[in-house]
C-alpha cells in the first residue's frame, strides 16, 4: 500500500505491531465474553476479525471549550472497540442514566467499549455505551480507537440463552448495519433502533 508516510520511519511497523497485538487482545476478550454468555467461544470467533484504526487529534480550544465537542454523542457500530488515550488528557465521557460521566484516563490501561453489534449478538445482555468527547481548554488530546468488527459478508443474530428468552433484536447483515450506521449522523444510539424488535 502506498499510503504509509515515510516519516517517522518507524510509523508503519509500530502501527502494524500495535494492530496485531490488539487483534490478539480482542480474541482473548471474546473468549471471556463467550464465557459470560455461556456459549462456546467458536460461536464468537468470527465476530472481531476485521479492524479499523482511527487516530484522533483534538486541539485545545482556549476561548469557549464548553461550547465545542470533539466527538458528538454516539455508540460505536463495532463489535468491540479498544481505545488508547495516548497522552492521558481527559475528554471522553459516557452517558449513564441521562448524565455525562467523565472517564478518567489511565496511562497503564486500554479502554474497551461494547459496540452495537455485541449488543445485538448478546440480545441486550451487553449494552453498547453512548459516549462523546469534550475539548480541553489548554491541552491537546490524542487517542487511537481500534474498532473490531465481523466480516462484512456476515450476519449478526442474537444468541439466546434459553428457549424462553425473547428475541429483542433482529438479525442484521454486517454490511447492511455498517451502511445504515454511516448514513446516519452521530445521534446517540439511534442507529441501533433499526435492529430493535418492537417492545423494547
Ligand atoms: O477519542 C476518544 O476518546 C473516543 C473516540 C471515539 O469515540 C471514536 O473514535 O469512536
Ligand atoms: Fe466512539
Amino acid at each position: 500500500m502506498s499510503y504509509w508516510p515515510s516519516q517517522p520511519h518507524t510509523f508503519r511497523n509500530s502501527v502494524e505491531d500495535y494492530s496485531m497485538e490488539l487483534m490478539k487482545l480482542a480474541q482473548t476478550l471474546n473468549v471471556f465474553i463467550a464465557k459470560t454468555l455461556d456459549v462456546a467461544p467458536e460461536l464468537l470467533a468470527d465476530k472481531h476479525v476485521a479492524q479499523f484504526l482511527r487516530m484522533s487529534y483534538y486541539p485545545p480550544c482556549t476561548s469557549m471549550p464548553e461550547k465545542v465537542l470533539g466527538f458528538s454523542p454516539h455508540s460505536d457500530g463495532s463489535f468491540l472497540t479498544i481505545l488508547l488515550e495516548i497522552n492521558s488528557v481527559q475528554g471522553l465521557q459516557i452517558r449513564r442514566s441521562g448524565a455525562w460521566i467523565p472517564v478518567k484516563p489511565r496511562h497503564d490501561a486500554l479502554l474497551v467499549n461494547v459496540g452495537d453489534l455485541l449488543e445485538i449478538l448478546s440480545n441486550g445482555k451487553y449494552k453498547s455505551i453512548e459516549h462523546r468527547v469534550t475539548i480541553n481548554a489548554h491541552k491537546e488530546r490524542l487517542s487511537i480507537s481500534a474498532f473490531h468488527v465481523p466480516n462484512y459478508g456476515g450476519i449478526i443474530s442474537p444468541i439466546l440463552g434459553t428457549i424462553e428468552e425473547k428475541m429483542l433484536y433482529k438479525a442484521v447483515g454486517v454490511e447492511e448495519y455498517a451502511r445504515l450506521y454511516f448514513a446516519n449522523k452521530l445521534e446517540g444510539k439511534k442507529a441501533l433502533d433499526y435492529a430493535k424488535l418492537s417492545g423494547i
Side-chain angles (χ1 to χ4, degrees), residues 115-147:
D116 292 349
L117 296 180
L118 176 51
E119 178 165 336
I120 297 171
L121 180 110
S122 67
N123 202 32
K125 293 182 199 78
Y126 281 90
K127 295 269 191 279
S128 65
I129 187 78
E130 188 176 346
H131 53 284
R132 68 179 189 179
V133 181
T134 57
I135 294 287
N136 192 288
H138 308 289
K139 287 184 237 157
E140 62 185 14
R141 179 166 189 278
L142 293 135
S143 71
I144 302 181
S145 318
F147 304 98

Side-chain angles (χ1 to χ4, degrees), residues 54 71 74-76 81 113 131 145 147 181:
R54 176 190 285 144
F71 234 115
H74 67 282
S75 57
D76 294 342
T81 306
N113 272 342
H131 53 284
S145 318
F147 304 98
Y181 182 85

Side-chain angles (χ1 to χ4, degrees), residues 24 27 30-32 35 38 40 43 46 50 52 55 58 62-63 77 80 83 101 113 121 131 147 150 161 190:
K24 289 190 226 158
Q27 169 61 33
N30 252 14
V31 173
F32 287 114
K35 265 204 181 112
D38 207 12
L43 266 180
D46 61 344
F52 298 89
M55 300 183 187
Y58 306 93
T62 32
S63 52
L80 279 181
L83 182 78
I101 317 282
N113 272 342
L121 180 110
H131 53 284
F147 304 98
K190 192 159 169 288

Side-chain angles (χ1 to χ4, degrees), residues 5-159:
S6 53
Q7 292 297 332
H9 72 277
T10 49
F11 184 76
R12 179 176 181 165
N13 277 348
S14 305
V15 171
E16 285 180 347
D17 288 351
Y18 181 65
S19 160
M20 274 191 305
E21 288 303 319
L22 285 199
M23 288 301 267
K24 289 190 226 158
L25 175 61
Q27 169 61 33
T28 307
L29 288 170
N30 252 14
V31 173
F32 287 114
I33 291 169
K35 265 204 181 112
T36 63
L37 294 174
D38 207 12
V39 299
E42 297 77 50
L43 266 180
L44 304 195
D46 61 344
K47 301 297 179 275
H48 58 90
V49 293
Q51 184 196 61
F52 298 89
L53 290 182
R54 176 190 285 144
M55 300 183 187
S56 303
Y57 173 76
Y58 306 93
C61 175
T62 32
S63 52
M64 279 189 260
E66 67 290 348
K67 292 242 183 321
V68 244
L69 279 179
F71 234 115
S72 301
H74 67 282
S75 57
D76 294 342
S78 57
F79 186 75
L80 279 181
T81 306
I82 303 175
L83 182 78
L84 173 66
E85 297 177 276
I86 297 173
N87 57 347
S88 297
V89 171
Q90 222 246 271
L92 181 67
Q93 298 184 334
I94 56 167
R95 194 174 191 133
R96 276 253 151 210
S97 316
W100 287 108
I101 317 282
V103 179
K104 214 169 166 209
R106 287 185 55 150
H107 71 275
D108 57 349
L110 293 163
L111 196 137
V112 178
N113 272 342
V114 170
D116 292 349
L117 296 180
L118 176 51
E119 178 165 336
I120 297 171
L121 180 110
S122 67
N123 202 32
K125 293 182 199 78
Y126 281 90
K127 295 269 191 279
S128 65
I129 187 78
E130 188 176 346
H131 53 284
R132 68 179 189 179
V133 181
T134 57
I135 294 287
N136 192 288
H138 308 289
K139 287 184 237 157
E140 62 185 14
R141 179 166 189 278
L142 293 135
S143 71
I144 302 181
S145 318
F147 304 98
H148 292 86
V149 290
N151 267 330
Y152 258 32
I155 287 178
I156 292 278
S157 57
I159 297 177

